[in-house]
Amino acid sequence: MSSAQPSVAAHGGETRTLSVEESLEFAAAQVRGLVERAPGQLPTYTSGGAWVTDADPWAPNWAGGFLTGMLWIFARRSGEAWWREHAERYCEVLEPRADDTTTHDLGFVLEPSWGRWYELEPTERAREVLVRGGRTMAGRLQPRGGYLSTWVDPGSTFIDVMMNVGIIFRAAALAGDDALGEVAMRHCMTSRRYLMRGDGSTVHEGWFDLESGEFLRCATHQGWRSDSSWARGQAWAIYGFGTAHRHSGEPRLLDAARRAADFYIEHTPGHGIPPNDWNDPDGALPREASAAAITAAGLLRLSELVDDGGLRGHYRAYAERIVETLRSTEYIAADAPGYEGILRHATYHFRDGLGVDESVMWGDYYFVEALDLVARGQS
Ligand code: GLY
């Protein structure tokens, strides 16, 4: 397929829009380049367009599953042995994380890696790793508050954890262990009650009293303010509540995913790229492309979960609009010589100055996932 005619972007400079296939080809070349230059490294974000391979200074290592997940996507798409060998090798590096009790991010680590391997080939080994990871994750349940705690503190939970609760549902099904499913459901219902507001916007962090389980307050790390709306948290909610509904069939979780999606769509300009935080009055970070990529993939999946044909088309069309925007060289780094990431203009942690207006590995991963879903005409 050929590229569209060049045009001038609102942000200046001439841009063109790659086709879905061209975008996937470019993404594969970027991933292959990284793996060949820095074998075994699992970077989180870029600096000046170059992947940073030092340990993440903010969070315990949580982004390794995303690079591995892209290796699996390209392995399936191409059938080439190189992708498959590397996907398996990177999975092996992540396998010990199934026992990691220091983080709430086990779904991010194990779902795109071992989860994709299992979906391709449901071996006993992959099943065992996923069940182990789900059990480790379930060990984070705080019984009084009914939530899975973060690495920050036993009294804290994040909206991001909605992306990590899926591995508990998966483990419950794989092990036939209903008690695990109940843990997952408790966390989902607590998140729905305390981390989602009446207008469908979400809270980044909730704090609870450990003794009584009482909800104490809202907070944020990467958003503007405790009572504001951090775009990536919203994206995690769209995708995470949808996944939780897919696993459980619980209609209240589908409703939560839909309300989160509707808030995103209502508050974002027509091109589909939100600011880092919708409420930030300074507009210092006017675009957070990773939130858009997560939302595109999440909406494509959500569109398969709703019964109503009109709604399905609405979510799918919005997701495709986001993907089209991201296929513009304003975002996809195809015309940025030497740039190492795939998707530009994402932000990891603006207060800590980490990956600000750069590429982040989950931005690249969910963009590739969304492109792959669009290319396959399904979700
Ligand atoms: N730690 C998850 C995020 O930065 O979105």
Side-chain angles (χ1 to χ4, degrees):
M1 277 200 219
S2 63
S3 306
Q5 290 301 304
S7 63
V8 176
H11 306 288
E14 199 172 78
T15 65
R16 62 192 175 100
T17 299
L18 273 62
S19 70
V20 170
E21 288 301 326
E22 287 169 333
S23 301
L24 282 162
E25 274 167 34
F26 170 74
Q30 294 296 85
V31 170
R32 194 170 182 135
L34 171 61
V35 168
E36 286 174 347
R37 272 193 317 278
Q41 297 288 324
L42 296 166
T44 301
Y45 57 91
T46 62
S47 174
W51 288 110
V52 176
T53 53
D54 304 341
D56 183 336
W58 187 61
N61 189 352
W62 66 283
F66 302 125
L67 178 56
T68 313
M70 285 191 279
L71 294 171
W72 279 119
I73 291 173
F74 295 127
R76 181 183 37 71
R77 289 185 63 78
S78 69
E80 268 181 48
W82 187 92
W83 293 107
R84 170 76 194 229
E85 280 161 23
H86 284 83
E88 290 190 15
R89 200 173 299 166
Y90 277 62
C91 273
E92 294 301 343
V93 171
L94 296 175
E95 186 270 341
R97 303 291 303 282
D99 303 312
D100 184 351
T101 55
T102 67
T103 182
H104 61 265
D105 285 325
L106 291 184
F108 283 136
V109 174
L110 297 174
E111 287 277 7
S113 55
W114 284 89
R116 282 191 180 272
W117 194 351
Y118 184 81
E119 279 153 23
L120 216 57
E121 247 173 43
T123 61
E124 176 52 27
R125 173 110 195 287
R127 191 194 78 88
E128 184 273 328
V129 172
L130 292 166
V131 169
R132 201 151 39 90
R135 288 198 193 286
T136 305
M137 186 68 199
R140 305 191 75 79
L141 182 76
Q142 294 296 328
R144 292 290 171 90
Y147 60 90
L148 300 161
S149 60
T150 68
W151 53 262
V152 171
D153 189 275
S156 138
T157 195
F158 288 172
I159 192 66
D160 322 19
V161 180
M162 280 307 303
M163 291 296 283
N164 294 287
V165 73
I167 194 165
I168 307 182
F169 281 118
R170 197 202 273 261
L174 292 176
D177 184 341
D178 292 346
L180 276 179
E182 282 161 25
V183 169
M185 189 57 83
R186 265 199 92 186
H187 175 80
C188 292
M189 298 315 276
T190 303
S191 299
R192 174 178 172 270
R193 180 169 187 176
Y194 295 109
L195 302 187
M196 177 162 258
R197 307 185 184 106
D199 64 357
S201 67
T202 51
V203 168
H204 184 179
E205 184 178 40
W207 282 85
F208 294 80
D209 182 285
L210 280 182
E211 291 297 312
S212 66
E214 181 186 4
F215 177 75
L216 298 176
R217 65 186 168 86
C218 305
T220 191
H221 295 269
Q222 289 135 293
W224 176 58
R225 221 167 63 172
S226 63
D227 59 347
S228 70
S229 302
W230 175 49
R232 192 158 68 253
Q234 194 72 20
W236 294 141
I238 296 167
Y239 199 129
F241 278 113
T243 304
H245 168 73
R246 180 166 51 78
H247 282 297
S248 64
E250 170 55 55
R252 288 172 293 179
L253 299 179
L254 179 61
D255 177 67
R258 283 192 48 195
R259 287 194 292 126
D262 294 347
F263 180 92
Y264 182 107
I265 294 169
E266 198 180 315
H267 290 81
T268 303
H271 50 55
I273 315 302
N276 186 65
D277 190 312
W278 282 283
N279 299 112
D280 183 344
D282 301 328
L285 288 168
R287 47 194 171 165
E288 209 293 74
S290 82
I294 297 158
T295 298
L299 286 179
L300 288 167
R301 296 194 179 278
L302 182 60
S303 72
E304 298 291 317
L305 299 172
V306 293
D307 289 335
D308 181 296
L311 200 54
R312 196 177 311 138
H314 168 62
Y315 288 144
R316 189 168 183 95
Y318 192 85
E320 288 182 358
R321 196 185 317 157
I322 295 177
V323 170
E324 186 178 356
T325 302
L326 298 182
R327 287 190 282 112
S328 154
T329 51
E330 178 73 16
Y331 289 94
I332 194 166
D335 289 349
Y339 194 93
E340 293 181 359
I342 299 166
L343 183 63
R344 304 189 302 158
H345 305 309
T347 286
Y348 180 21
H349 199 311
F350 76 97
R351 281 204 188 84
D352 287 2
L354 302 174
V356 179
D357 201 17
E358 292 280 345
S359 289
V360 293
M361 199 56 87
W362 57 92
D364 285 8
Y365 170 73
Y366 289 104
F367 181 36
V368 167
E369 176 173 298
L371 285 165
D372 181 50
L373 291 173
V374 170
R376 293 158 73 197
Q378 61 179 79
S379 44

